[in-house]
Amino acid sequence: SDTTPRQRGIAIPQGISKQRFFEAIEELKKELGSENVELNDKELKEGWYMEHPNTHDMMPILDSEELVASALVYPGSTEEVVKIVRWANKFKVPIFPISMGRNLGYGGAAPRVRGSVTIDLGRRMNKILNIDPDDYTCLVEPGVSYYALYEELQKRGYQHMWIDTPDLGGGSVLGNAVDRGVGYTPYGDHWACHSGLEVVLPTGEVVRAGMGALPGNNTWQSFPYGFGPYSDGIFSQSNYGIVTKLGMTLMPNPGGYESFMYTFQNESDLAPLIEIIRPLRISNILENVAQLRHALQTVAIKGKPRSTYWTGEGVMPQEVYHKELKKMPVGDCEWVYYGMSYGPPHIRKYKLDIIHQEFTKIPGAKRIDPSTLPADEYFWSRDKIAAGIPDLEELLWVNWMPNGSHIAFSPVSPIRGKDAEALYALAKKRHTEAGIDLMPAFCVGLREMHLIVEIVFDSKNEKMRRAADKCLRDMIDDAAALGYGEYRTHLVLMDQVAGTYNWNDNALMRFNEKMKDALDPNGILAPGRCGIWPARYRGRGWEM
Ligand code: FAD
């Protein structure tokens, strides 16, 4: 079924009576027009990535009615965002901003506090405000997706500029950057590549950060800092403001590109390979945020359910996926490296020769010749993404389970063999205990790597949901005990992850809370996001 009947009725936020809440909604309708305010009182509709609901997390790890909005509001301008914020302060209603709400794996469109009013910024605030063909920058509103930005560059004939896209191109350029998401060109660290923010504060003032604070400046998108404290950082992964404009730098077209793929035969090749990758990555011979993936994901990305290959209980045995890999163009292996070399042919050749020489120091390492790969091979999707061309093929591994849902474990570490091994070992141990297939992918940045382990689960199977939740929580604790932390997490895990960043008697969280209380005295904006609870909620049983 594509709807979930409601058991618990409309989610009225705590601390306000039902009647007063409906009065408040009527007032909001008067301010913004009734067509721009919607109660979330019907069945919860499911969907897929491109037609996703904005009312809740369509991949629930808890009861599907836990993280739901009471209402949705669609502002058309920064001034209307200010009106919503003032309204929320008046009625003390929690509000939760999303840009497009495609944050799947981390909570989708859901608010952290049940019954919050979700501000869906992207529906009406979706303009590309500027593209500068000389400075290679742009300025966007929350509703601009990677697809939209890419298509606009093509339409204007700006082929000299590239965008950077995450694995899926339907997300918001702004939403992904403020959640510090990643893509796969040399511009893959989206937050690092932004320049300039406009923010509505929780009390309704509007600020422009960086050079944007200087009226008449023309440097907002080319110099990120301005003068004085660099305030941008506090508006990423936080609940201190609603970002209404974001500047982004664009990559120059490198004048050619060439993807490559290597396979490695043994599980134990991981550590030596990572040791080889580090110096190549830091010196930019390996130029992009590349991926080293476990071979099981190469089977899963074919898009067929796991039951096609194996119907037994517990994790899929190694011999089963190896049998499948042998039939595929990739061939039998345990790890697959997807990378990209940029520039004209002679420059690429220089780098690719070094890479080949280094990678083949691992016994059994194989370069797969792309000309032998059919057009529907996943390699070509990675090729597009690393060239800044939005794609959707990555969604296919979600079919691994019926009612395919996923939730991510995303720790960071330096690019070191022993760190990769330690993280892989703890993930493997906890996945084996939980009977969940392990599909790790190391995304290698310049001096660190994000390990992304997506747990694919059946969201209609309560036992499996619980097992996935436990597996994640165990991995977060195990990782913290070894000194590793997550770069990003799902709404339901935010308290736990924030709790691991506890040096000096939780000094960082106490600082975050002080800032929250100063900026948001009524505690209305995204309470609990990233584990930051305002005074009105703190210590009252909201943490999980
Ligand atoms: P939103 O959902 O709009 O925003 C994310 C969060 O940021 C919101 O929940 C909100 O808390 C906050 N926020 C958003 N807008 C604002 C604002 N204006 N002001 C204040 N706070 C705001 N992600 C990656 O980064 N890289 C990947 O490679 C990647 N691969 C994926 C692969 C698959 C198969 C799937 C399903 C997901 C993947 N994701 C990846 C996760 C996700 O799809 C993207 O990160 C997506 O871009 C996030 O959704 P969005 O852009 O619509 O952001």
Side-chain angles (χ1 to χ4, degrees):
S1 138
D2 63 355
T3 57
T4 308
R6 300 283 283 265
Q7 311 283 335
R8 298 168 68 180
I10 182 170
I12 305 289
Q14 282 197 18
I16 183 168
S17 73
K18 200 166 179 175
Q19 192 195 340
R20 177 98 173 125
F21 176 71
F22 287 133
E23 282 164 23
I25 289 290
E26 284 313 306
E27 192 170 310
L28 190 60
K29 284 184 176 171
K30 275 193 204 117
E31 291 263 11
L32 267 88
S34 56
E35 69 283 12
N36 296 318
V37 183
E38 255 170 36
L39 278 177
N40 178 25
D41 55 356
K42 306 190 184 61
E43 289 182 320
L44 294 175
K45 275 210 186 95
E46 283 155 31
W48 70 290
Y49 179 79
M50 289 307 280
E51 289 162 323
H52 65 295
N54 59 6
T55 46
H56 64 292
D57 183 3
M58 71 177 206
M59 299 182 166
I61 185 82
L62 303 174
D63 157 6
S64 60
E65 284 190 66
E66 190 52 42
L67 301 183
V68 297
S70 55
L72 290 307
V73 52
Y74 305 106
S77 63
T78 301
E79 293 69 37
E80 288 194 351
V81 175
V82 171
K83 283 186 186 170
I84 297 166
V85 166
R86 297 232 159 99
W87 168 87
N89 276 290
K90 178 174 167 189
F91 291 97
K92 300 211 174 47
V93 167
I95 48 178
F96 193 91
I98 56 170
S99 284
M100 297 181 82
R102 293 204 172 105
N103 208 17
L104 299 170
Y106 298 113
R112 171 63 178 83
V113 163
R114 180 177 153 80
S116 300
V117 171
T118 294
I119 310 178
D120 187 338
L121 296 148
R123 182 164 299 186
R124 294 172 65 216
M125 296 175 71
N126 53 17
K127 285 187 282 304
I128 297 171
L129 299 167
N130 190 34
I131 299 179
D132 191 311
D134 303 322
D135 294 345
Y136 294 69
T137 61
C138 64
L139 182 68
V140 295
E141 289 189 327
V144 175
S145 70
Y146 295 97
Y147 272 108
L149 185 58
Y150 175 79
E151 280 157 16
E152 188 61 25
L153 287 175
Q154 308 314 305
K155 202 172 106 195
R156 295 194 196 179
Y158 289 163
Q159 275 81 14
H160 63 298
M161 293 186 286
W162 281 16
I163 68 159
D164 182 280
T165 171
D167 276 336
L168 300 175
S172 155
V173 175
L174 188 159
N176 184 282
V178 298
D179 212 22
R180 299 205 292 261
V182 298
Y184 302 94
T185 74
Y187 281 43
D189 181 346
H190 293 160
W191 182 251
C193 289
H194 96 281
S195 183
L197 296 180
E198 179 187 85
V199 186
V200 178
L201 298 179
T203 41
E205 295 94 336
V206 185
V207 295
R208 287 190 175 177
M211 293 304 295
L214 197 153
N217 88 89
N218 62 358
T219 325
W220 198 16
Q221 270 66 69
S222 30
F223 182 65
Y225 308 124
F227 182 75
Y230 178 53
S231 42
D232 292 40
I234 66 164
F235 299 111
S236 74
Q237 288 197 2
S238 78
N239 47 14
Y240 300 150
I242 301 176
V243 181
T244 45
K245 293 183 178 67
L246 172 104
M248 195 51 126
T249 52
L250 299 166
M251 179 173 145
N253 181 333
Y257 61 93
E258 184 175 346
S259 283
F260 57 92
M261 173 161 82
Y262 282 83
T263 61
F264 302 89
Q265 300 306 303
N266 308 299
E267 207 175 11
S268 58
D269 292 339
L270 176 65
L273 177 59
I274 294 286
E275 286 296 306
I276 289 173
I277 289 172
R278 184 184 56 252
L280 295 178
R281 184 69 184 98
I282 292 177
S283 58
N284 253 324
I285 296 295
L286 292 169
E287 296 161 275
N288 71 329
V289 178
Q291 283 201 357
L292 177 65
R293 296 186 161 215
H294 192 268
L296 181 58
Q297 214 172 18
T298 307
V299 177
I301 198 78
K302 303 235 30 120
K304 292 189 187 147
R306 160 185 143 119
S307 55
T308 320
Y309 313 108
W310 166 254
T311 50
E313 287 281 304
V315 296
M316 179 183 274
Q318 219 180 19
E319 59 274 15
V320 176
Y321 65 82
H322 277 272
K323 196 173 131 209
E324 286 313 310
L325 285 160
K326 280 181 193 145
K327 298 183 215 157
M328 293 165 60
V330 178
D332 197 10
C333 61
E334 199 66 27
W335 298 100
V336 188
Y337 184 96
Y338 296 92
M340 172 75 99
S341 184
Y342 301 94
H346 64 288
I347 296 199
R348 299 202 301 262
K349 183 173 182 324
Y350 175 77
K351 292 176 284 194
L352 288 169
D353 285 350
I354 297 174
I355 294 164
H356 188 73
Q357 193 190 348
E358 293 300 311
F359 277 17
T360 50
K361 284 181 180 164
I362 306 270
K366 261 193 223 133
R367 178 176 173 272
I368 307 289
D369 178 359
S371 69
T372 64
L373 297 173
D376 65 351
E377 179 63 31
Y378 173 67
F379 173 85
W380 297 113
S381 173
R382 291 244 68 85
D383 178 66
K384 281 170 79 180
I385 292 164
I389 304 167
D391 198 36
L392 290 178
E393 193 168 330
E394 187 69 16
L395 273 175
L396 286 172
W397 52 252
V398 182
N399 296 339
W400 194 242
M401 285 289 157
N403 306 303
S405 297
H406 60 98
I407 182 162
F409 169 60
S410 318
V412 283
S413 78
I415 313 169
R416 291 222 184 90
K418 70 176 172 39
D419 294 312
E421 228 164 28
L423 286 167
Y424 177 65
L426 76 85
K428 188 169 174 181
K429 172 170 173 263
R430 293 303 188 179
H431 276 65
T432 307
E433 283 169 11
I436 294 170
D437 294 322
L438 173 61
M439 299 190 216
F442 291 91
C443 302
V444 187
L446 208 49
R447 279 184 181 72
E448 55 70 45
M449 49 192 189
H450 294 34
L451 166 61
I452 309 290
V453 181
E454 288 281 8
I455 293 188
V456 187
F457 65 99
D458 175 352
S459 60
K460 299 256 159 88
N461 178 334
E462 201 191 327
K463 193 171 147 222
M464 193 166 191
R465 273 200 333 239
R466 283 223 207 99
D469 187 38
K470 178 169 186 321
C471 179
L472 272 159
R473 290 189 179 273
D474 288 342
M475 288 192 294
I476 292 166
D477 284 344
D478 291 354
L482 297 174
Y484 302 109
E486 285 69 47
Y487 95 101
R488 186 177 177 191
T489 199
H490 190 282
L491 289 170
V492 304
L493 302 166
M494 286 179 172
D495 293 315
Q496 189 189 358
V497 168
T500 63
Y501 286 78
N502 58 14
W503 181 78
N504 193 16
D505 191 21
N506 292 301
L508 182 62
M509 183 49 81
R510 282 184 282 120
F511 171 74
N512 289 341
E513 287 172 348
K514 239 184 234 169
M515 199 128 70
K516 179 67 179 164
D517 294 341
L519 291 171
D520 185 5
N522 287 321
I524 48 109
L525 185 62
R529 177 157 155 74
C530 292
I532 307 165
W533 292 96
R536 208 152 69 83
Y537 288 76
R538 214 140 59 219
R540 296 191 178 164
W542 286 94
E543 296 87 352
M544 49 183 171

